[in-house]
Amino acid sequence: MNKKAPIPLGIASNRADETYLRLKDELFNFYLLPGDYFSENEIAARMAVSRTPVREALFRLQREGYVRVMPRVGWQVRPLDFDKFDQLYEIRILLEESSLQRLVRKENISNIKMLMATWCCLPDERESDAKAVWLQDEQFHAGLVEAGGNAEMSRIHQDVMERLRIIRRLDFTKAQRVNATYEEHAAILGQIQRGRIGEAQRLLRSHIEASRLEVHKITLSMLYEARLEKNRAY
Amino acid sequence: MNKKAPIPLGIASNRADETYLRLKDELFNFYLLPGDYFSENEIAARMAVSRTPVREALFRLQREGYVRVMPRVGWQVRPLDFDKFDQLYEIRILLEESSLQRLVRKENISNIKMLMATWCCLPDERESDAKAVWLQDEQFHAGLVEAGGNAEMSRIHQDVMERLRIIRRLDFTKAQRVNATYEEHAAILGQIQRGRIGEAQRLLRSHIEASRLEVHKITLSMLYEARLEKNRAY
DNA sequence: TGATGAGCTCTTGTATACCAGACGGAGCAC
DNA sequence: GTGCTCCGTCTGGTATACAAGAGCTCATCA
């Protein structure tokens, strides 16, 4: 029984991607807590792969700011840095606002119509599942940037959103927040359709600012609970 | 003599970084030409290291958009994509403009004064070495963003500048361009000092646009020459 | 009692062996 | 002549062996 299991590969096409996704999942669910120390061997044993794909995954996560390596010492989960999150929110606002600006110049509003189908609907047609709303919200903001027509800007926006995801995913748990999101998105799209870009930008900015503040509040308690949860498990 | 050489390590602290820097150097000097195919073994043999650090370096370069891997087939140097460069220039403008905006709000002009010492000088005090001017130019634009006070935005700006470097470094070869750079930078800083941010933004935008157009022209001929140069060598 | 250093153990960094898949060319069938 | 199949050889993907440094433990000595 010294032979390894046949093929424990997941949906990813290789073990490195698989390990990357699993590790990110553990980071997002606070199984790996900010500040924790760990080693490559530890991860490799837990995920039943060799150190090679683990290292590849960790380097990617390091590049994205989630973990850091201390040479010949070990790895650490980077502590949550709310100043950094604020800065990323500011960049989000900048990118999305400027995409609206270019939108009106390029008359590229086909994406916008698709977004309206999702967001400009009657209250009883609204999605209620938190995770589904969160996904649609991601698509809304990505869609605005894509409509701007700058693919590199979309890529950067996606990176920023990715880095915010660890705290943003804790939003959309209260019905009130979901309803507010629907109304604000619809209002923004409405102003765009009327060609009032300036007003749309103003609404967009305050919409994102509201999200930022809300997430601040939620995350602190959620992180605390996640910490308790993990401690209970041992 | 089957024992390897003792320590052929360069300035980097490990072979992976060393390999990364050497590869990027070869990319920037068009020793590795856009469109070229190559394998990990080939690089490893040429740089006298094992595949492990080579792979780590290549993954970093892939993430930065210089190369791409085709699984179980090989690696390719990504062709130069001028549309992409245009998009990156647009992002540069956005980031630097918005940094000026925040500058006036935060009254954070200590960086600006340092920049003025370099750029607001008499014509005979100007740096003439192309490489030195290029370095100062990088610092000027990075300095503007840093003065905005958003560290994450600085990081993104740095990434964008890095990706533009392969074509931007071919600029600053003509004295005329150097002089224009000095005058335009001085003008921008002058407007900032007078608190006329809007005008500074306008100048900054046209300054970057001019650089973009100039680089377009230069690069096509330089790349052609680099191609000839390499063919001559064989 | 306190300082110190040898050495053990753990870490990441690097090299290498092995695997499966992709591709191309030779050879055969038609 | 043309197309198909098989097989050898190359590739990157993965596992593993080895090297070297950081840090801790504990014994030793002043």
Side-chain angles (χ1 to χ4, degrees):
Chain A
M1 196 46 202
N2 57 354
K3 205 61 183 170
K4 54 175 163 280
I7 300 172
L9 208 62
I11 60 166
S13 61
N14 57 35
R15 294 193 206 284
D17 288 352
E18 177 83 8
T19 306
Y20 167 79
L21 292 174
R22 288 185 63 182
L23 274 174
K24 194 146 80 174
D25 207 54
E26 294 192 348
L27 288 166
F28 280 21
N29 291 324
F30 299 113
Y31 178 80
L32 287 173
L33 286 171
D36 274 2
Y37 294 90
F38 62 94
S39 75
E40 296 172 2
N41 278 321
E42 189 183 323
I43 305 295
R46 188 145 50 80
M47 311 227 165
V49 296
S50 77
R51 276 179 57 216
T52 306
V54 170
R55 279 171 63 81
E56 192 178 320
L58 285 175
F59 287 137
R60 285 176 65 183
L61 291 168
Q62 174 171 242
R63 191 145 202 82
E64 292 168 16
Y66 294 113
V67 300
R68 66 174 185 143
V69 62
M70 289 160 290
R72 298 184 197 284
V73 175
W75 291 80
Q76 184 190 26
V77 182
R78 291 191 90 109
L80 294 187
D81 182 344
F82 283 90
D83 284 347
K84 191 179 284 184
F85 291 140
D86 280 343
Q87 293 176 349
L88 290 172
Y89 265 105
E90 213 174 331
I91 295 168
R92 259 192 75 186
I93 292 172
L94 182 66
L95 296 179
E96 296 187 27
E97 265 190 359
S98 91
S99 294
L100 285 191
Q101 200 71 48
R102 273 199 310 290
L103 188 90
V104 73
R105 284 210 301 267
K106 301 182 73 176
E107 309 273 347
N108 176 14
I109 57 170
S110 62
N111 295 41
I112 300 302
K113 281 176 187 164
M114 285 170 51
L115 291 177
M116 293 187 83
T118 304
W119 296 100
C120 302
C121 59
L122 296 173
D124 56 350
E125 291 172 334
R126 290 174 180 172
E127 180 69 55
S128 59
D129 178 55
K131 190 168 182 122
V133 175
W134 174 74
L135 215 69
Q136 286 183 343
D137 184 74
E138 291 263 313
Q139 286 171 349
F140 172 79
H141 292 282
L144 288 186
V145 179
E146 273 164 27
N150 185 324
E152 286 304 311
M153 196 176 292
S154 279
R155 203 187 51 80
I156 291 174
H157 180 262
Q158 198 178 335
D159 282 0
V160 170
M161 291 295 269
E162 181 70 25
R163 295 181 62 188
L164 286 173
R165 193 163 295 160
I166 192 170
I167 55 172
R168 265 172 51 75
R169 71 176 252 288
L170 301 174
D171 208 357
F172 300 111
T173 52
K174 288 180 282 189
Q176 184 202 351
R177 281 294 298 153
V178 170
N179 288 333
T181 298
Y182 266 95
E183 279 155 25
E184 288 165 14
H185 284 190
I188 291 165
L189 292 170
Q191 296 295 340
I192 291 173
Q193 199 183 31
R194 292 189 197 89
R196 300 170 65 176
I197 297 300
E199 183 62 16
Q201 286 176 319
R202 211 181 55 74
L203 290 176
L204 180 63
R205 171 177 285 273
S206 65
H207 167 63
I208 298 176
E209 288 283 3
S211 166
R212 178 173 70 84
L213 294 175
E214 194 70 24
V215 152
H216 255 259
K217 284 188 292 182
I218 291 179
T219 305
L220 284 172
S221 65
M222 297 287 278
L223 179 60
Y224 182 67
E225 280 181 21
R227 234 179 239 286
L228 284 180
E229 190 69 28
K230 183 174 182 186
N231 289 339
R232 246 198 306 274
Y234 288 93
Chain B
M1 197 43 198
N2 58 353
K3 206 63 183 168
K4 55 177 163 276
I7 301 172
L9 208 61
I11 60 166
S13 60
N14 58 34
R15 295 193 206 284
D17 288 352
E18 176 84 8
T19 306
Y20 167 79
L21 292 174
R22 286 185 63 182
L23 275 174
K24 194 147 80 173
D25 208 56
E26 294 192 349
L27 288 166
F28 281 21
N29 292 324
F30 297 113
Y31 178 79
L32 287 173
L33 287 171
D36 274 3
Y37 293 90
F38 62 94
S39 75
E40 296 174 0
N41 278 320
E42 188 182 324
I43 305 294
R46 186 145 52 80
M47 310 225 167
V49 296
S50 78
R51 276 179 57 215
T52 306
V54 169
R55 279 171 62 80
E56 192 177 321
L58 285 176
F59 287 138
R60 287 177 62 182
L61 291 168
Q62 173 171 244
R63 191 141 202 85
E64 292 169 17
Y66 294 113
V67 299
R68 66 174 184 146
V69 62
M70 288 159 291
R72 299 183 196 283
V73 175
W75 290 81
Q76 183 191 27
V77 182
R78 289 192 92 108
L80 294 186
D81 182 344
F82 282 91
D83 284 345
K84 190 179 286 185
F85 291 140
D86 280 343
Q87 294 175 349
L88 290 172
Y89 265 105
E90 214 175 328
I91 295 168
R92 258 192 76 186
I93 292 172
L94 181 65
L95 296 179
E96 297 187 27
E97 265 189 0
S98 90
S99 295
L100 286 192
Q101 200 71 47
R102 273 200 310 290
L103 188 88
V104 73
R105 285 211 301 266
K106 301 181 70 174
E107 311 271 347
N108 176 14
I109 58 170
S110 61
N111 295 40
I112 301 300
K113 281 177 185 163
M114 285 171 52
L115 292 177
M116 294 188 83
T118 303
W119 297 100
C120 302
C121 58
L122 297 173
D124 56 348
E125 290 173 335
R126 290 174 180 171
E127 180 69 56
S128 60
D129 178 54
K131 190 170 182 120
V133 175
W134 174 74
L135 214 70
Q136 286 183 345
D137 184 74
E138 292 263 314
Q139 286 170 349
F140 172 79
H141 292 281
L144 288 186
V145 179
E146 273 164 26
N150 185 323
E152 287 303 311
M153 196 177 292
S154 280
R155 204 187 51 80
I156 291 174
H157 179 263
Q158 198 178 335
D159 281 0
V160 170
M161 291 296 269
E162 180 70 25
R163 295 182 62 187
L164 287 172
R165 193 163 294 159
I166 193 171
I167 55 171
R168 266 172 50 75
R169 68 176 255 287
L170 301 174
D171 208 357
F172 300 111
T173 51
K174 288 180 282 188
Q176 185 202 352
R177 280 295 299 153
V178 171
N179 288 333
T181 298
Y182 266 94
E183 279 155 24
E184 288 165 15
H185 284 190
I188 291 166
L189 292 170
Q191 296 295 342
I192 292 173
Q193 198 182 32
R194 289 189 200 91
R196 301 170 65 175
I197 298 300
E199 183 62 17
Q201 286 177 318
R202 214 181 52 74
L203 290 175
L204 180 63
R205 172 177 284 273
S206 65
H207 167 63
I208 298 176
E209 289 283 3
S211 166
R212 178 173 70 84
L213 295 175
E214 195 69 24
V215 153
H216 255 258
K217 283 188 292 182
I218 292 179
T219 305
L220 285 171
S221 64
M222 296 286 278
L223 180 58
Y224 182 67
E225 281 182 19
R227 234 178 239 287
L228 285 180
E229 190 70 28
K230 183 174 182 186
N231 289 340
R232 249 199 303 278
Y234 287 90

